[in-house]
Amino acid sequence: MATIEVKVPDIGEFRDVEVIEVLVKPGDRIAPEQSLITVESDKASMEIPAPLGGVVVAMKVALGDKVSRGSLLMDLEVSEAGEAAPPPAGGAAVAGGSAPADAVAAGAPAGARVAFDAAPAADVGEAPAVPAADAVGRSVAAPLPAGAADAASDAVVQPHASPSVRRFARELGVDLSRVRGSGPKQRILHDDVRAWVKALAARADDPGSTGGAPGVLAGLPPWPQVDFAKFGPVEARPLSRIRKLSAANLHRNWVAIPHVSQHEDADVTDLESLRTQLNRENEGEGAKLTMLAFLVKACVSALKKFPEFNASLDGDTLVLKRYYHVGFAADTPNGLVVPVIRDADRKGVLEIARESAELAAKARAGKLMPSDMQGGTFSISSLGGIGGTYFTPIINAPEVAILGVCRAARRPVWDGSSFQPRLVLPMSLSYDHRVIDGAAAARFNAWLAQLLADFRRAML
Ligand code: CAO
């Protein structure tokens, strides 16, 4: 056994460069070419690999030290046979003229201290064609000249990280351009990569995560943390259970489904006359006929004509449903819920009106059962009683479309010879563009508008 001194080799332009990583410690058994430290200039970082295998006796550098060619790195105990590294590419990196194996083979007596230079491996940004593991001591045996480093970093803006951090990131499949560095000059450290992966895993495990940057938003700047009380009085109100659940679902649907919203106007003048007339006739005889009930019935007719709207995506398969369970968004003091009217195709408008009134009352009382909200194939969000013109409703996954309606209003409509005051219902259909094409959505809406304009068509 012999103890040798490992020194910093000729590292070209790198003079007085900072040690940014110490990758081994006393007692470690290291292999030839294993990275010992990483140094960094203002142009690039570089790993200094071991010239021989052995056991680390003592480290002679620490984080933050400045080193140049010839600085002592470590004492290394090597076997006399010498677990030697292959000669570095180009032979340029090993100072002293002879390859490491020769030096050890020259027969250093047991216990003698032999000065030994390590061969450096430079890294200037990501080198996609050459994994860092291969680069150490082989592909990039000598440091790049400063000019080359500049050219490389000008070509692509690279995340700032040492070769070992890059290797670590590659092992974990982490795209370093998405990780924020907390080291000096925003350098990405091992801990930054670890924290990024941990945060990603935590968010993936927590579908209820709504605050901050959830899973799919990973890589964006952190959510702003503001002490609102500094600017004025505030009241902290915890979200209700329903709001937390619906927020998480809405968020997932919004980011996971490529939504498109298609708007249409329906002339509901005659339908509204019919509705109010029927309500007058049936006054005091139970549930009143609502616009929502007509909308449910009209949607069922459109869903039958355009079956891909009554479907769900299951991987690469579109599951077309032969039942028509229509959900409607109900606003409750605790948040939004979507009770479902089952088999709406087999029910009359009066029955749908009665059932939706019961479900809405149950929803407001917080008494909906899970089964009241399951199995929907299409949803309607009606803001007609409140106002508005058009909006972009969020699809209720795994459904593929949702109809939003706002308040019907009298508008002048050109009938070919004059403007007529007509009651116009603004409709907004959001659809999953993976499943439904824009033309199909326009046809769906046009059909729906025709139906609402002349409800006799619903019998066809
Ligand atoms: N245009 C004009 N007026 C309308 C209308 C429309 N599209 N829809 C309903 N109205 C009127 C009704 O005529 C009725 O007026 P009167 O009291 O004068 O008779 C009033 O609005 C209430 O209507 P309604 O009793 O039929 O109830 P509704 O269909 O408006 O609402 C329900 C039922 C459950 C849908 C509703 O209570 C609700 O919760 N809406 C909010 C839904 C929601 O939050 N959607 C957003 C989800 S996505 O963020």
Side-chain angles (χ1 to χ4, degrees):
M1 295 296 245
T3 300
I4 62 167
E5 285 182 336
V6 177
K7 291 183 174 176
V8 175
D10 181 0
I11 47 177
E13 299 291 313
F14 286 60
R15 223 168 278 129
D16 256 351
V17 282
E18 188 181 338
V19 176
I20 60 163
E21 286 174 317
V22 177
L23 302 164
V24 293
K25 57 182 185 320
D28 283 358
R29 170 165 289 283
I30 58 171
E33 293 191 58
Q34 183 173 334
S35 297
L36 305 175
I37 61 166
T38 308
V39 294
E40 184 182 64
S41 72
D42 54 353
K43 295 284 195 299
S45 57
M46 178 194 297
E47 281 184 7
I48 309 286
L52 300 170
V55 176
V56 179
V57 176
M59 291 305 296
K60 301 294 184 185
V61 288
L63 269 187
D65 284 358
K66 296 274 172 62
V67 296
S68 303
R69 178 184 180 179
S71 303
L72 183 59
L73 283 186
M74 60 166 26
D75 289 343
L76 183 67
E77 189 177 80
V78 295
S79 69
E80 288 191 34
E83 303 162 60
V94 179
S98 53
D102 292 348
V104 174
R113 298 173 74 81
V114 180
F116 218 90
D117 290 352
D123 189 278
V124 185
E126 192 76 52
V130 185
D134 290 345
V136 175
R138 287 183 219 152
S139 307
V140 199
L144 293 179
D150 275 339
S153 52
D154 283 353
V156 188
V157 178
Q158 298 290 359
H160 181 28
S162 71
S164 73
V165 170
R166 290 175 191 288
R167 192 162 50 238
F168 183 52
R170 259 193 301 273
E171 277 165 21
L172 297 177
V174 172
D175 173 3
L176 279 182
S177 65
R178 305 179 71 188
V179 180
R180 284 167 75 80
S182 65
K185 294 182 249 162
Q186 279 86 52
R187 188 172 65 238
I188 301 167
L189 309 177
H190 281 87
D191 280 349
D192 297 325
V193 177
R194 270 187 213 104
W196 193 87
V197 171
K198 264 191 193 166
L200 196 68
R203 287 192 291 259
D205 283 349
D206 179 12
S209 161
T210 54
V216 286
L217 301 181
L220 291 185
W223 196 257
Q225 297 296 321
V226 178
D227 178 6
F228 303 110
K230 263 176 39 187
F231 302 100
V234 294
E235 176 200 337
R237 190 182 291 173
L239 297 183
S240 70
R241 194 183 59 85
I242 290 182
R243 195 168 290 281
K244 278 198 277 189
L245 275 174
S246 64
N249 288 334
L250 287 165
H251 192 186
R252 177 201 57 205
N253 299 348
W254 180 247
V255 297
I257 302 172
H259 281 70
V260 179
S261 294
Q262 167 85 24
H263 308 290
E264 181 67 275
D265 290 334
D267 182 336
V268 292
T269 317
D270 297 341
L271 182 60
E272 182 61 5
S273 305
L274 173 69
R275 191 182 75 83
T276 46
Q277 186 192 323
L278 289 172
N279 276 340
R280 270 197 304 274
E281 287 173 12
N282 296 320
E283 208 162 352
E285 290 186 20
K288 96 178 170 179
L289 267 176
T290 58
M291 183 56 84
L292 178 66
F294 282 104
L295 284 166
V296 170
K297 206 66 198 159
C299 283
V300 168
S301 171
L303 293 173
K304 284 185 170 172
K305 183 155 179 71
F306 303 97
E308 72 268 31
F309 287 78
N310 199 54
S312 285
L313 203 52
D314 180 12
D316 289 338
T317 305
L318 189 63
V319 180
L320 299 154
K321 296 158 202 167
R322 303 289 183 226
Y323 52 87
Y324 302 89
H325 300 342
V326 179
F328 63 98
D331 188 25
T332 79
N334 285 326
L336 183 70
V337 289
V338 185
V340 173
I341 298 165
R342 287 175 185 277
D343 300 312
D345 55 319
R346 295 196 227 144
K347 292 173 181 164
V349 181
L350 259 175
E351 192 178 350
I352 292 173
R354 190 167 35 245
E355 203 178 312
S356 61
E358 284 167 10
L359 285 167
K362 250 173 121 176
R364 288 196 188 103
K367 292 193 173 147
L368 281 179
M369 303 301 288
S371 58
D372 291 328
M373 294 178 277
Q374 287 166 354
T377 59
F378 182 83
S379 296
I380 298 176
S381 174
S382 172
L383 296 171
I386 304 166
T389 47
Y390 307 95
F391 68 115
T392 50
I394 298 179
I395 296 164
N396 190 15
E399 297 164 19
V400 292
I402 180 169
L403 182 75
V405 293
C406 287
R407 192 167 191 80
R410 292 258 163 220
R411 288 199 218 150
V413 175
W414 186 251
D415 71 357
S417 52
S418 61
F419 282 105
Q420 301 295 333
R422 305 294 294 178
L423 189 66
V424 175
L425 178 73
M427 305 190 298
S428 304
L429 175 77
S430 291
Y431 58 92
D432 184 338
H433 209 347
R434 294 172 301 178
V435 175
I436 294 161
D437 295 331
R443 285 191 198 102
F444 184 98
N445 266 356
W447 171 266
L448 203 56
Q450 271 188 336
L451 207 61
L452 293 167
D454 183 354
F455 216 76
R456 290 171 303 179
R457 291 169 184 267
M459 294 182 297
L460 299 176

